[in-house]
Amino acid sequence: NDTLKVMAYNVLNYGDLCQGNTSALDSYFKTIINYTRPDLMSCEKMTAFPFSPDAPGNLADEILGNVLNAVSPGEYNYATPTNASGSGTLSVLFYNKEKLTYVSTTDLLSVVTDFDLYKFYYNDINLSITKDTTFLYAVVCHTKSGSASLERDFQDSVVMSSLKANFHVFPNLIIMGDFNTRGSFE
C-alpha cells in the first residue's frame, strides 16, 4: 500500500519581493517542505513568469531547484502551467516524480486566473509487468477573493460543467487550491 500526501499553498505573490526576497522565502519554504514532504503540491498566486525551463525569472524552476530538490534531490518536478487569462499571478503544480508521471495539462477556465486540470499516472512498481496503472487528475484553482461570491459561483460552475463534459464518470480526482470561501454558506 502507498499513499500520496497532497498540499495546497497560497504563496501570495511569490517572486515580486512583496513578501521578501526569493532567497529568504526559499529558506522558509524549505523548512515547510522538509516537514511536510508533499507528493503533490499546488502553489497558488505565484507572480506570473515565463514558462520556458531555465528562463530567467522562471519561479517554478526557482522553487524546484532551491526548495523542493534542495530538500529531496532529484525527487520533484512541475507540471506545465498555463496563463491563458493573462493574469499577473498563476498556479503551479509540483509533484514527486518517483511516485507520479505527468501526462497533460488542460485549461478548464481562463477568467481572472486559469483553472487547470492535470493528468498523472501512478508509478506502480509492477507497471512494467502489468502494463496497468492508476490515473490521477488534479484541478488547481484560485477562486476570486473578497465579497465576489457570484463570481466564485460562476467559476465553480464552469469548472464542474467542464469536468462533467470531460468525464462520463468522475475519475480519481482532487480539486485543490485556494477557494476563498467567506463562510459555510458558500
Side-chain angles (χ1 to χ4, degrees):
N1 290 334
D2 194 6
T3 59
L4 293 175
K5 189 178 282 189
V6 178
M7 176 177 157
Y9 189 20
N10 181 331
V11 293
L12 189 58
N13 299 318
Y14 187 97
D16 77 350
L17 303 179
C18 167
Q19 303 295 327
N21 68 51
T22 52
S23 62
L25 295 175
D26 290 348
S27 178
Y28 299 133
F29 207 172
K30 279 195 286 193
T31 300
I32 294 166
I33 296 304
N34 196 38
Y35 178 76
T36 58
R37 304 281 177 147
D39 296 308
L40 195 60
M41 179 183 70
S42 62
C43 288
E44 291 76 41
K45 213 162 185 177
M46 291 178 66
T47 299
F49 59 87
F51 297 153
S52 304
D54 301 320
N58 182 327
L59 295 172
D61 282 343
E62 168 80 20
I63 291 172
L64 185 66
N66 295 329
V67 177
L68 295 165
N69 286 330
V71 171
S72 298
E75 191 171 304
Y76 290 94
N77 204 348
Y78 61 91
T80 305
T82 67
N83 192 8
S85 64
S87 176
T89 62
L90 52 91
S91 298
V92 178
L93 186 60
F94 296 90
Y95 63 97
N96 178 336
K97 64 184 185 179
E98 293 176 358
K99 289 189 174 187
L100 297 167
T101 295
Y102 167 70
V103 177
S104 63
T105 303
T106 303
D107 188 26
L108 298 177
L109 174 67
S110 300
V111 175
V112 182
T113 62
D114 291 9
F115 288 53
D116 292 326
L117 172 68
Y118 296 93
K119 182 179 181 180
F120 295 91
Y121 66 81
Y122 175 68
N123 295 330
D124 189 293
I125 58 170
N126 295 315
L127 184 59
S128 62
I129 298 165
T130 63
K131 309 288 188 230
D132 191 18
T133 188
T134 300
F135 286 91
L136 173 67
Y137 295 84
V139 175
V140 176
C141 55
H142 179 248
T143 60
K144 184 72 176 151
S145 61
S147 60
S149 61
L150 290 177
E151 192 162 359
R152 279 191 297 283
D153 288 349
F154 169 76
Q155 290 171 321
D156 293 339
S157 296
V158 170
V159 168
M160 290 307 296
S161 294
S162 296
L163 290 172
K164 288 176 183 176
N166 280 304
F167 301 107
H168 176 66
V169 174
F170 281 147
N172 298 312
L173 176 68
I174 299 169
I175 299 179
M176 59 195 298
D178 183 349
F179 303 121
N180 283 309
T181 58
R182 293 180 55 108
S184 61
F185 59 90
E186 286 191 299

